[in-house]
Amino acid sequence: RAGHWKLHLSDQMPKALYNLTSDIGEQHNVLDEYSQVAAGLMQEVVAFEAELAANSRPAGWVDNPVPLR
């Protein structure tokens, strides 16, 4: 979501785009009419996923864990 736009994805591809200013109920998919907006939002998604991958760390692992008392 960015500003008044909300992009729905399916399998990492744009599925629907809604203008929440005029369609708060998300009833009118405007993906075809505003494909350039969807493309810009997809660039944001790709950048966000790259940032997550670059800055994530593996979950901690402890051999023989003991519960806290």
Side-chain angles (χ1 to χ4, degrees), residues 1 6 8 16-20 22-29:
R1 191 174 162 191
K6 184 174 181 182
H8 287 235
L17 178 69
Y18 299 103
N19 180 337
L20 298 179
S22 60
D23 182 22
I24 193 68
E26 300 178 23
Q27 299 296 309
H28 305 286
N29 181 0

Side-chain angles (χ1 to χ4, degrees), residues 8-68:
H8 287 235
L9 303 176
S10 178
D11 296 324
Q12 299 298 322
M13 295 299 296
K15 180 179 179 183
L17 178 69
Y18 299 103
N19 180 337
L20 298 179
T21 300
S22 60
D23 182 22
I24 193 68
E26 300 178 23
Q27 299 296 309
H28 305 286
N29 181 0
V30 295
L31 182 61
D32 292 335
E33 296 95 308
Y34 294 96
S35 59
Q36 75 282 5
V37 173
L41 290 173
M42 279 304 299
Q43 288 178 343
E44 295 292 327
V45 168
V46 169
F48 178 70
E49 289 176 342
E51 182 180 342
L52 281 178
N55 295 303
S56 65
R57 59 182 183 193
W61 181 262
V62 177
D63 291 325
N64 304 315
V66 178
L68 298 175

